[in-house]
Amino acid sequence: MAAANGVHGVRVGVIGGGQLARMMIPAAIELGVDLRVLAEAEGMSAAIAADRVGDYTDTATVLEFAREVDVVTFDHEHVPQDVLRALVDAGVPVHPGPDALRVAQDKLVMRERLSELGLPVPDWARVETVADLDDFIADHGGVAVVKTPRGGYDGKGVRVVRSAAEVAEWFATIAEDGGAGALLVEELVDFRRELAQLVARRPSGEVVAWPLVETVQVGGVCSEVIAPAPRSAGRLADVAADVAITIAEGLGVTGVLAVELFETSDERILVNELAMRPHNSGHWSMDGSTTGQFEQHLRAVLDLPLGATGSRDDWSVMVNVLGGPAEGSLTDRYAAALADHPTVKVHNYGKAPRPGRKIGHVTATGDDLDAVVYEARAAAAFFQD
Amino acid sequence: MAAANGVHGVRVGVIGGGQLARMMIPAAIELGVDLRVLAEAEGMSAAIAADRVGDYTDTATVLEFAREVDVVTFDHEHVPQDVLRALVDAGVPVHPGPDALRVAQDKLVMRERLSELGLPVPDWARVETVADLDDFIADHGGVAVVKTPRGGYDGKGVRVVRSAAEVAEWFATIAEDGGAGALLVEELVDFRRELAQLVARRPSGEVVAWPLVETVQVGGVCSEVIAPAPRSAGRLADVAADVAITIAEGLGVTGVLAVELFETSDERILVNELAMRPHNSGHWSMDGSTTGQFEQHLRAVLDLPLGATGSRDDWSVMVNVLGGPAEGSLTDRYAAALADHPTVKVHNYGKAPRPGRKIGHVTATGDDLDAVVYEARAAAAFFQD
C-alpha cells in the first residue's frame, strides 16, 4: 500500500498495527525512515503504513514480511518464540530479540529473571495447585494477587483473591495456555502510588532514561500520567532509573522498555510489570520530552545514537481517552475541545469508540502542575460522555 | 494506496506531493485526519499518503481527486485559476480559495492588492517595455529588482538589474506566460535584515500569529530561521503581526499565510513576498511552538479552532539542509550527527540529494541564542559535504 518513503532510507518493519505502530509513523516520516507494518487486519490504527495484513503467528507470513525490511520490531509482545527464532535464524535483526521478549511474554519467567538480577520485586511464587496457592495466601495475610503467566494486559489475567477457589477456572486452563501448568501469585503490595520508568537501549549498548513518571490506573487500565512524578527528585528517581537500566542491560532489551513500579508505603520501589516497546506511560514524551518514545524506539532499533530525554516543560500530564463518545467520533468533539484548550495536544488513534477502549490521549504541559492537570483532564473530558 | 486512516474521520486533500504535503502527514495522523495527496509523480516526498498521481492542471483529474475529500488544500500555489474555479463551482471547499491564491500566483496582482490595502511595500511598477523599465531604474538610483509575475520561487524569476537590457529575454517571453505582458519592477530595498511573519486564519474568521522570525537567505534561498527575531519585541513584532493579519483578512486567506518582510535600514517594515501555505520560515514551529504550522494548517482548512502559537523555548533556530551529501543519503550521516547533537530534531524530506535542493532541515531550541545557533548549524553541517 504505502510507497517507498525515504530515498535510500532504512526500512523498519513493525509487527502489529495498533496505536503504538501508528504513533511510530510520524516519527518515521520526520526521520525519513521507511516504516512498514504487518497488521492483523484491514483498517487498523496504523493502516496508513500497513503494507501487509497477515497472521503474526505464522512463520512464513512473518519471514516474507521481514524480507523487505532492515530490522523488525513490534507493536506488541505476542509474537510466538518459534516465529521470533525463525527470524533470527534467517539473519533478520529483531529488536527486542527473542530472549528479551520471552521475559515480557511470561510473567513467571519475568519474576524469575528479575529475582536473579537481584531487583526488588513483590514476594511471589509459582503455584501449580490450589493447595499451593492457599498456602501462599495464608502466608501473606489472607490475600494475594494471582496472574496468568501469559496473555494478560490492561488488568486482564490479574485477580486479587482471598481463596484459591476464586481462580479455580484458571487452574483448569493453565495446562493448555503455554504457561507450563502454573500460575504466578504475588503479595498484594501496600503501595502509595504507581510509577513507571521508561528507558531506551540500542544494540551497541547506549542506554538513556526519561524522567520517572507517576501513573494513575483505574480498573487496571492506565488513566493518567504525570511527568515527572511529583516528589520524586533525588533518591526515588535515581533508584528507579537504576532499576530500569539494570533490567534493560540484564535482559538485553533493545528499543524502548517501560518498567511499571510500585512505590510502597514504606518507601521502597518494587517492579510490577515490564513492557518491551513504547508504552502508555511514555506517551507524554511525544509532546513533553526533547525526544518522544516513538522516535527513540526507531533510533534504538536502528542502532542510531539516542536522543535527549529531558522534559521540555516543568510538568507534562497525559490523560487517556478511554471509550470515547457514545455516538460519533473523536473529531466530532474537536470544535468544542480545541476552542477551550488551545495549548493541549490531541492524539487520535483512528479507532472506533467502544467502552473501555483506548482511542486517544491528550497531553498538556506547563510550569504549574495544578493547571496542567486541570487542562489535560478538562480537554480529555470533551471526548467522553 | 493509503487506506482510510481515521474512523469517521475528516478527509483533507492536498494537491502536490512535495515536502510541505509530507510534513502535513504526521500532524494528520496525530489528529486522526485522513490526508490524501494528489502527487505530481510517483515516489515524491509525500508518497506515503499519495492516493493518486496526476496532473494538477487538469480539471477532470483534480475534480475526481476532490470527490473523495472534505476539503482541498495545497502543497504549492500553482494550481491554475480555472481548475480552482471548477472546484468551487462543484461545491468543494478550497482553502485558500481562488481569489486569495490569485494574489499569491501573480506578483503584479499581489503588489496591486497590497497597495490597495494600504500596506507598506517597496516602490514598484508594472512595466511593459524596455523604456518603462529604464525609466524606473533611472528614477531609483540606477538599480532595480525585476521579477516575472508568475512562476518564480527560491530566487528564480528575480533579478537585480542596472539596465533593462539585462532582462531583455524576459520581455520577449512575458506575452506568452500568462503574466499579461508585463513585468514587475521594484526598488532595490536597502534592508537591514529579512523577517517573516507567519499567521493562520480559518474560514470563520479566527486568526492567530506566531512570533516574528528572522530569515537568512543565501542566493535567494532560505538558509536559516531564528525564532523569535532577535531585537524584535515590542513595536517591530506588533507592526509585523498587524501587517500579516491585515493581509490574511484583507485577501480572505484561509490556512497558513507567510509574509516575507524587509526591515529597512531606516527601521520600516516592507512586505516582500507572500506564501499562502505552510512555509520554510515556519518549519521551526514544528519543534519550537506549541502548535506547529502543519497541524495549524490542517486545523485552519477544516475550520477548527486554532492552536496556541507561543514559543516553547526562548529561542528556536532552523537550518535548512540544502543539497545534502555528494554521495549517499541523509540517513548515512545520522550516526555521526545524532551522536554529537542529541537535542537537535532532524527532518528528512525523503528526497534524493542534489545541489541546492531542499532535502531536510534541523531545528535546535533552548535559552541561549548563541548556543542554539551553534547547535543547529553544527548539526546541519553533518549533512553537507
Side-chain angles (χ1 to χ4, degrees):
Chain A
M1 298 162 76
N5 171 41
V7 176
H8 310 299
V10 287
R11 296 159 305 175
V12 173
V14 184
I15 298 182
Q19 67 259 28
L20 301 181
R22 179 191 181 94
M23 288 187 272
M24 291 180 203
I25 305 171
I29 291 173
E30 296 304 353
L31 283 177
V33 168
D34 180 3
L35 196 82
R36 316 263 176 122
V37 174
L38 176 63
E40 295 86 336
E42 297 285 351
M44 288 192 66
S45 192
I48 190 176
D51 271 78
R52 201 176 289 246
V53 169
D55 179 1
Y56 62 79
T57 69
D58 179 66
T59 301
T61 298
V62 175
L63 278 173
E64 194 185 337
F65 171 71
R67 260 199 295 275
E68 294 174 6
V69 299
D70 299 310
V71 55
V72 165
T73 188
F74 309 94
D75 171 74
H76 58 70
E77 292 132 332
H78 308 316
V79 178
Q81 281 288 317
D82 60 336
V83 176
L84 298 171
R85 303 280 169 194
L87 286 171
V88 171
D89 290 347
V92 178
V94 178
H95 298 294
D99 291 338
L101 272 174
R102 187 168 157 268
V103 182
Q105 289 175 333
D106 188 308
K107 290 176 183 174
L108 275 168
V109 176
M110 191 260 283
R111 283 287 175 243
E112 283 160 12
R113 294 287 288 123
L114 294 181
S115 297
E116 285 169 15
L117 289 169
L119 292 164
V121 294
D123 267 358
W124 67 277
R126 171 192 172 94
V127 289
E128 300 185 16
T129 67
V130 165
D132 287 348
L133 178 52
D134 277 329
D135 284 350
F136 186 95
I137 293 170
D139 289 347
H140 289 82
V143 63
V145 183
V146 183
K147 299 181 178 180
T148 55
R150 290 164 171 272
Y153 66 95
D154 282 353
K156 296 180 184 66
V158 176
R159 208 173 282 177
V160 177
V161 301
R162 293 178 178 277
S163 156
E166 297 176 50
V167 288
E169 84 278 18
W170 286 359
F171 278 109
T173 57
I174 50 176
E176 306 154 21
D177 72 354
L183 294 175
L184 169 64
V185 60
E186 300 176 354
E187 65 171 317
L188 180 63
V189 174
D190 180 21
F191 63 84
R192 177 183 290 164
R193 58 177 175 170
E194 292 188 70
L195 304 168
Q197 177 64 58
L198 200 74
V199 298
R201 181 173 173 275
R202 53 189 284 217
S204 55
E206 185 190 8
V207 58
V208 294
W210 278 270
L212 179 66
V213 303
E214 178 173 340
T215 66
V216 180
Q217 324 285 323
V218 176
V221 179
C222 177
S223 155
E224 191 172 301
V225 172
I226 302 171
R231 305 171 306 283
S232 68
R235 191 194 66 90
L236 198 62
D238 292 346
V239 169
D242 280 352
V243 164
I245 289 169
T246 301
I247 294 171
E249 293 178 338
L251 304 182
V253 181
T254 42
V256 165
L257 165 71
V259 180
E260 297 183 57
L261 300 161
F262 294 124
E263 181 185 347
T264 66
S265 302
D266 54 352
E267 303 204 328
R268 289 175 303 139
I269 289 282
L270 300 176
V271 178
N272 180 18
E273 303 278 359
L274 305 181
M276 293 185 190
R277 50 172 170 75
H279 186 251
N280 202 161
S281 65
H283 288 351
W284 71 275
S285 65
M286 302 168 80
D287 300 303
S289 173
T290 300
T291 309
Q293 66 171 346
F294 297 97
E295 176 187 344
Q296 196 81 293
H297 188 71
L298 293 176
R299 290 163 75 147
V301 303
L302 288 166
D303 205 13
L304 288 170
L306 302 177
T309 50
S311 296
R312 294 199 61 182
D313 290 282
D314 291 346
W315 300 104
S316 300
V317 174
M318 186 235 50
V319 176
N320 277 335
V321 178
L322 293 170
E327 303 222 342
S329 70
L330 288 196
T331 51
D332 297 339
R333 308 294 175 94
Y334 280 2
L338 300 179
D340 272 19
H341 300 284
T343 64
V344 160
K345 307 318 290 180
V346 174
H347 299 260
N348 182 333
Y349 304 160
K351 295 161 74 174
R354 186 193 299 165
R357 193 181 203 195
K358 289 179 183 172
I359 64 168
H361 73 266
V362 303
T363 303
T365 64
D367 55 14
D368 175 337
L369 178 55
D370 288 343
V372 175
V373 168
Y374 172 81
E375 276 293 310
R377 287 182 188 167
F382 276 94
F383 300 110
Q384 312 276 10
D385 288 314
Chain B
M1 300 160 76
N5 171 42
V7 176
H8 310 299
V10 287
R11 295 160 304 175
V12 173
V14 184
I15 297 182
Q19 67 259 28
L20 301 180
R22 179 191 180 93
M23 289 187 271
M24 291 179 202
I25 305 172
I29 291 172
E30 296 304 352
L31 283 176
V33 168
D34 181 3
L35 197 83
R36 315 262 177 123
V37 174
L38 175 63
E40 295 86 336
E42 297 285 351
M44 287 191 67
S45 193
I48 191 176
D51 272 78
R52 201 176 288 246
V53 169
D55 179 1
Y56 62 78
T57 68
D58 179 66
T59 301
T61 298
V62 174
L63 279 173
E64 194 186 334
F65 172 70
R67 261 200 293 277
E68 294 174 7
V69 300
D70 300 309
V71 54
V72 165
T73 188
F74 308 95
D75 171 74
H76 57 70
E77 293 132 331
H78 308 315
V79 178
Q81 282 287 318
D82 59 337
V83 176
L84 297 171
R85 303 281 169 193
L87 285 171
V88 171
D89 290 346
V92 177
V94 178
H95 297 295
D99 290 338
L101 272 174
R102 188 168 156 268
V103 182
Q105 288 174 334
D106 189 308
K107 289 177 183 173
L108 275 167
V109 176
M110 191 261 283
R111 282 286 174 247
E112 283 160 11
R113 295 287 288 121
L114 293 181
S115 297
E116 285 168 15
L117 289 170
L119 291 166
V121 295
D123 267 357
W124 67 276
R126 170 192 172 95
V127 290
E128 299 184 16
T129 66
V130 165
D132 287 349
L133 178 53
D134 276 330
D135 283 351
F136 186 96
I137 292 170
D139 288 347
H140 290 83
V143 64
V145 183
V146 184
K147 299 180 179 180
T148 55
R150 291 165 170 272
Y153 66 96
D154 282 353
K156 297 180 183 66
V158 176
R159 207 172 284 176
V160 177
V161 301
R162 293 178 178 278
S163 156
E166 297 176 51
V167 289
E169 84 278 18
W170 285 1
F171 278 109
T173 57
I174 50 176
E176 308 154 21
D177 73 354
L183 294 175
L184 170 65
V185 59
E186 300 176 354
E187 65 171 316
L188 179 65
V189 174
D190 180 22
F191 62 85
R192 177 183 290 164
R193 58 177 174 169
E194 292 188 70
L195 304 169
Q197 177 64 58
L198 200 73
V199 297
R201 182 173 172 275
R202 53 189 285 217
S204 56
E206 184 189 9
V207 57
V208 294
W210 279 270
L212 178 66
V213 304
E214 178 172 339
T215 65
V216 180
Q217 324 287 323
V218 175
V221 179
C222 177
S223 154
E224 190 172 303
V225 172
I226 302 172
R231 304 172 306 284
S232 68
R235 190 193 67 89
L236 198 62
D238 292 345
V239 169
D242 279 352
V243 164
I245 290 169
T246 300
I247 294 171
E249 294 179 337
L251 303 182
V253 180
T254 42
V256 166
L257 165 71
V259 180
E260 297 184 57
L261 300 160
F262 294 124
E263 180 185 348
T264 66
S265 301
D266 54 353
E267 303 203 330
R268 289 173 303 139
I269 289 283
L270 300 177
V271 177
N272 180 18
E273 303 278 359
L274 305 181
M276 293 186 190
R277 51 172 169 75
H279 186 252
N280 202 160
S281 65
H283 289 350
W284 72 275
S285 65
M286 303 169 80
D287 300 303
S289 173
T290 299
T291 308
Q293 67 170 345
F294 296 98
E295 177 187 344
Q296 196 81 293
H297 188 71
L298 294 176
R299 290 164 75 147
V301 302
L302 288 165
D303 205 13
L304 288 169
L306 302 177
T309 51
S311 295
R312 295 199 62 180
D313 289 282
D314 291 348
W315 299 103
S316 299
V317 175
M318 186 234 51
V319 176
N320 276 335
V321 178
L322 292 170
E327 302 224 341
S329 71
L330 288 196
T331 50
D332 296 339
R333 309 293 176 94
Y334 280 1
L338 300 179
D340 272 20
H341 300 284
T343 64
V344 161
K345 307 317 291 181
V346 174
H347 299 261
N348 182 333
Y349 304 159
K351 294 161 74 174
R354 185 192 299 164
R357 192 181 203 194
K358 289 179 183 171
I359 63 168
H361 72 265
V362 304
T363 303
T365 64
D367 54 15
D368 175 338
L369 178 56
D370 288 343
V372 175
V373 168
Y374 172 81
E375 276 294 309
R377 287 183 187 166
F382 276 95
F383 300 110
Q384 312 276 10
D385 287 313

